[in-house]
Amino acid sequence: MTAFYLVIGASHRTCSGSLRDWLATEEAEVPDMLAHLKAAGFEQAVWLSTCDRVEVHAVHPRPLEGALDAAAVMAERLGIAADDLADQLYTYVGDRAVRHVFSVACSLDSQIVGEPAILGQIKAAHRHAAGAGMTGPELEALLQAAYAAAKRVRSDTPIAEGATSIIAAAVQVARDIHGDLGRCAGLLMGLGDMGVLVLEGLKEAGLGRVTIAAHVDRRAEAMARRQGGHFAPWMELDTALAGADIVVTATGLGRYILSRDAVKAALKARRYRPVFVVDAAIPADVDPTVAKLDGAFTYDLADLERVALEGRAGRDAAVRAAWAIVDEAVAAFARERAERAAVPAVAALRAHFEQERRRLLVEHAGLNAAAATRLLVNRLLHHPSEVLRAMAAGTDGGGLPEHAAAERLLFRLFRLDEDAKNETERTESIETGDKRS
């Protein structure tokens, strides 16, 4: 049975940050989600859960049915009807699914193009799927090709430099404002991928204490453990804000979660010591009027990119080059799949020819080479000749177009045009030689 590639998911492009927060899974929960997919009929599937997306990458013989089943698993996690979730999900099948997986692995579908975290997240999801026995040759081929494309994008284009430079810019601005980061406390509000990357960059630069808060407390607690930081309940943000020298927001909820009044109160509690605010969310998390407060230094990702990059032209060229690599890799993957799909037919044809050859040797052991090869050719061509005649006459349910297509295929497979041309050239050569003599 033909297997189709399938992607179904929700990302920062299609659904709210709050829905992604509830749909997202921590690493310890992934085996359970894979078990649900297996129970729904999936044999090859990866459950990819990041702060910016939750997706199922799968192979399925009936992709539309598989998409409904995957949506049902996601809806069950949220405790809602699948129909209520449908308009926030996207589904890709076949080549579109392949191109999407490649674009995600190459960080072309991320909020910040080129961010480095996603490839490691896909590989972790892949390991979980393999551990659950939910990988197979088709899914393995897809993921390995996606990794190869991502490696080419990172080695052949400067696309990764943008995200790295944004993080470096955040570190530089933080040092300009606060000096020694070891004496500073940081607060991460929300768990968007770019926000986590900024936080990790600040930690590597020496940031002292880290506190993490998110709308879903269990996810914030898990992230705090991974980052070696503290957890703050979302309902206690006022206290956490007052103690933060650097605030990174990364919810992308589509509304302002950091208001002017909240920052004003925090500055007062801090005795107006400055606070550096990084809005790492798309859409923005921070009320623009916060920037007007004395002591509040607010930067969004575009501001940091302007600090990091001389201009957009080089960045846009890198993105175009990366997409060109992805499209080339998708086309090559499709060709390789088509070539692999032809192998069983070629093997079957070869086995059939060999079977007829052996049968003839047994039944007509005494024939000389000329007679044996003539008989073998007649046997091999008998059934195809009958089928072609039936197609030409329309007695097999086909007709002339089908017959013409089959005829063209035969000429191509066995180079009959080339043989006819060579025979004509030989005949002309002989005739020319006779005339000369």
Side-chain angles (χ1 to χ4, degrees):
M1 185 178 292
T2 302
F4 296 89
Y5 288 115
L6 168 68
V7 170
I8 183 166
S11 75
H12 59 279
R13 299 184 189 280
T14 64
C15 72
S16 67
S18 57
L19 185 142
R20 293 198 309 276
D21 278 345
W22 285 107
L23 187 57
T25 50
E26 297 304 321
E27 191 167 358
E29 299 174 292
V30 173
D32 185 52
M33 300 313 301
L34 290 170
H36 279 79
L37 289 173
K38 183 176 284 189
F42 286 86
E43 294 182 0
Q44 298 184 57
V46 165
W47 178 274
L48 175 64
S49 177
T50 76
C51 298
D52 291 338
R53 71 183 65 248
V54 177
E55 294 178 344
V56 174
H57 300 174
V59 177
H60 203 283
R62 297 173 298 279
L64 297 182
E65 179 182 315
L68 292 174
D69 291 339
V73 170
M74 292 180 176
E76 182 181 358
R77 176 168 178 78
L78 295 172
I80 62 175
D83 289 345
D84 295 335
L85 181 62
D87 63 346
Q88 299 194 68
L89 299 177
Y90 43 84
T91 300
Y92 303 125
V93 176
D95 288 344
R96 286 192 70 195
V98 171
R99 190 172 192 265
H100 180 78
V101 172
F102 280 34
S103 70
V104 171
C106 295
S107 190
L108 289 171
D109 194 58
S110 299
Q111 289 196 49
I112 297 299
V113 173
E115 59 89 2
I118 185 64
L119 186 59
Q121 292 165 332
I122 294 176
K123 289 182 176 181
H126 184 184
R127 287 194 295 272
H128 278 292
M134 292 193 67
T135 57
E138 293 87 1
L139 190 56
E140 283 291 338
L142 173 65
L143 293 172
Q144 294 303 330
Y147 299 155
K151 183 178 180 180
R152 274 195 63 198
V153 165
R154 293 195 175 277
S155 63
D156 295 357
T157 77
I159 194 169
E161 295 174 7
T164 304
S165 298
I166 287 172
I167 296 166
V171 170
Q172 184 58 55
V173 174
R175 283 177 171 153
D176 290 344
I177 294 170
H178 291 298
D180 181 11
L181 297 185
R183 299 198 303 265
C184 295
L187 170 64
L188 175 65
M189 300 171 60
L191 302 177
D193 287 344
M194 197 61 199
V196 174
L197 288 171
V198 169
L199 177 71
E200 289 175 344
L202 290 166
K203 283 182 60 185
E204 288 179 8
L207 180 64
R209 186 165 52 88
V210 172
T211 301
I212 296 174
H215 278 85
V216 181
D217 285 346
R218 62 176 173 79
R219 298 196 62 219
E221 286 186 275
M223 179 62 75
R225 284 194 298 272
R226 286 199 294 273
Q227 296 293 339
H230 304 276
F231 157 69
W234 192 258
M235 300 303 294
E236 299 176 12
L237 275 177
D238 289 346
T239 302
L241 272 172
D245 302 295
I246 300 171
V247 177
V248 180
T249 68
T251 71
L253 293 175
R255 57 182 174 80
Y256 299 140
I257 57 108
L258 193 58
S259 67
R260 185 178 187 276
D261 288 344
V263 176
K264 185 177 180 180
L267 285 168
K268 183 178 181 180
R270 291 170 55 79
R271 298 182 180 178
Y272 299 98
R273 284 180 290 115
V275 60
F276 173 37
V277 179
V278 179
D279 189 344
I282 301 174
D285 277 341
V286 181
D287 185 334
T289 61
V290 170
K292 298 178 181 179
L293 294 171
D294 290 337
F297 298 87
T298 64
Y299 285 70
D300 62 16
L301 294 174
D303 296 328
L304 292 173
E305 191 169 25
R306 279 192 290 273
V307 172
L309 302 177
E310 293 180 0
R312 294 287 307 182
R315 180 78 165 153
D316 292 343
V319 171
R320 287 194 298 272
W323 273 116
I325 290 172
V326 167
D327 288 336
E328 181 184 322
V330 169
F333 183 71
R335 285 195 302 272
E336 290 169 8
R337 282 196 79 209
E339 289 168 2
R340 287 196 299 271
V343 168
V346 172
L349 183 64
R350 184 179 293 275
H352 172 65
F353 281 15
E354 177 63 18
Q355 183 181 30
E356 290 297 331
R357 186 186 72 84
R358 291 183 178 182
R359 185 178 298 161
L360 184 144
L361 289 174
V362 171
E363 295 174 358
H364 304 279
L367 287 179
N368 61 35
T373 52
R374 190 179 304 112
L375 182 57
L376 179 60
V377 169
N378 288 336
R379 282 192 178 184
L380 293 176
L381 292 180
H382 175 70
H383 183 67
S385 300
E386 284 190 337
V387 172
L388 277 173
R389 284 193 290 269
M391 290 173 71
T395 57
D396 69 334
L400 290 176
E402 217 176 71
H403 171 260
E407 199 171 69
R408 284 194 300 272
L409 182 59
L410 277 175
F411 271 76
R412 183 178 176 188
L413 286 173
F414 295 101
R415 298 180 177 178
L416 301 183
D417 285 327
E418 195 173 305
D419 289 346
K421 179 183 175 183
N422 292 339
E423 183 61 31
T424 300
E425 289 174 352
R426 280 195 298 271
T427 302
E428 290 175 350
S429 176
I430 293 170
E431 291 175 349
T432 301
D434 290 344
K435 288 176 183 177
R436 286 176 181 170
S437 61

